[in-house]
Amino acid sequence: TAPGIAMSIARTCCQPCRLFALPGVPAEMFAMWTATVTPAIAAVQPAQRVICHRRIKCFGVGESDLEAMLPDMIRRDRDPLVGITVSGATITLRITAAGVNEAVCHKAMEPTVAQIRELLGVLVFGEEDDELEHAVVRLLNQREKSLAVAEWATDGLVTHWLAEAAARLDSFRGGFVVRDPATCDLLLGIEVAADAAAAAETARAMAHAVRKRYDADLGLAVAAPPTAGPLVPTAAASPAATNSLELSGTLQVGLATSDKVVVKGFPLASHPSITKTRAAKQALNMVRLTLLRDTE
């Protein structure tokens, strides 16, 4: 069992410095923090004060475009403070407020949260640890719909994320990952030319076929062309990175329902390090927006 340390270090300039050292095992660290450190810190404060955060997740536009939609909200002297960060093409707005307790903090943040949601609309897909796959699964469950996926060139990211987020098979039925025309023919019964991976008609056929194959309400297809060769290796590149194919051109996403197939193109213009992540999220976001429109 790893011990924790609590001690005071004398200083000639001012009051003693209170030092806490906690073990790295998360379960032990969290228990000591809650039982010992938090009360000790609160006891030396001149007045009770806590700082709370709330994260709003967004997708669909660039960071500068989204910031322009929030006039005068992301300024440093604002209270509550609103910060903006981007990770894997997902934009997070973090609202920060201070008060005597958590209830006061959350009450102070509510008008800002409401304003953000009003200004951004469907660009907001969730809060805190939400990702797009969680938003899609929630909507599928609420609408009692099922989804199946066929992916070309996103290496199964959409399927992997949905499989982790979906607790029930009746919302996410499963998916196929194809990397060449032969595999597409074998798994989905679709004959395509070797250079047609990104064609809109290929995405349309894949979406229709995967919906039928899994007997799902919705069939999602992701198709984009890899470049002819591997990424140019750098001195710091890992062996896996040098063997990867870079996506370029236009991502084609097809979404099939019982009566139609809609195909939409998205330019692949982001940095290679996040191209596949962005492509997978574009596909998920198309499903999310379609499910939202179906109830309007």
Side-chain angles (χ1 to χ4, degrees):
T1 299
I5 299 171
M7 61 187 295
S8 292
I9 300 176
R11 296 182 294 180
T12 58
C13 64
C14 46
Q15 295 293 324
C17 173
R18 192 76 184 273
L19 175 69
F20 297 93
L22 306 182
V25 179
E28 296 177 349
M29 178 182 67
F30 292 149
M32 290 185 189
W33 176 270
T34 302
T36 304
V37 182
T38 298
I41 293 175
V44 299
Q45 298 301 312
Q48 183 173 332
R49 181 174 180 268
V50 298
I51 299 174
C52 294
H53 305 288
R54 187 166 171 182
R55 291 174 292 158
I56 309 296
K57 297 293 191 69
C58 311
F59 184 85
V61 296
E63 179 183 0
S64 58
D65 292 328
L66 186 138
E67 188 170 347
M69 298 171 69
L70 302 172
D72 202 36
M73 189 171 286
I74 316 229
R75 69 173 194 269
R76 295 188 178 183
D77 61 344
R78 192 181 189 280
D79 186 22
L81 185 67
V82 179
I84 183 169
T85 58
V86 183
S87 178
T90 295
I91 300 175
T92 300
L93 296 169
R94 190 173 80 159
I95 307 164
T96 303
V100 295
N101 55 48
E102 290 188 15
V104 170
C105 292
H106 287 292
K107 184 177 180 180
M109 289 188 281
E110 276 301 329
T112 297
V113 172
Q115 186 179 8
I116 288 173
R117 286 186 171 275
E118 181 181 358
L119 291 172
L120 299 184
V122 295
L123 293 177
V124 176
F125 67 81
E127 295 194 21
E128 301 307 331
D129 294 328
D130 271 346
E131 298 295 346
L132 277 164
E133 60 268 26
H134 301 120
V136 169
V137 168
R138 274 198 305 269
L139 288 169
L140 288 170
N141 290 336
Q142 290 168 8
R143 274 74 171 164
E144 297 183 342
K145 300 286 187 181
S146 59
L147 173 70
V149 178
E151 297 180 71
W152 190 326
T154 43
D155 289 343
L157 275 180
V158 177
T159 299
H160 173 66
W161 290 341
L162 286 171
E164 286 194 330
R168 303 181 342 207
L169 286 175
D170 53 357
S171 58
F172 177 57
R173 295 289 174 82
F176 290 122
V177 179
V178 299
R179 305 194 75 181
D180 53 55
T183 309
C184 198
D185 186 16
L186 177 66
L187 296 176
L188 296 171
I190 299 172
E191 294 185 7
V192 295
D195 60 350
E201 287 308 309
T202 301
R204 184 185 306 277
M206 288 172 63
H208 177 75
V210 77
R211 190 186 82 84
K212 289 289 189 181
R213 186 63 60 93
Y214 279 100
D215 191 26
D217 295 305
L218 302 171
L220 175 67
V222 187
T227 56
L231 290 170
V232 177
T234 63
S238 66
T242 60
N243 291 327
S244 297
L245 291 178
E246 180 182 2
L247 293 176
S248 63
T250 301
L251 174 76
Q252 298 289 347
V253 179
L255 187 61
T257 62
S258 60
D259 58 350
K260 64 180 179 180
V261 182
V262 175
V263 179
K264 189 173 182 180
F266 300 94
L268 292 169
S270 56
H271 190 275
S273 64
I274 66 165
T275 301
K276 286 181 182 177
T277 299
R278 181 186 290 276
K281 290 183 178 182
Q282 292 281 20
L284 284 171
N285 198 49
M286 183 171 169
V287 178
R288 179 180 73 92
L289 294 178
T290 298
L291 290 169
L292 287 174
R293 284 193 296 268
D294 285 347
T295 60
E296 291 179 353

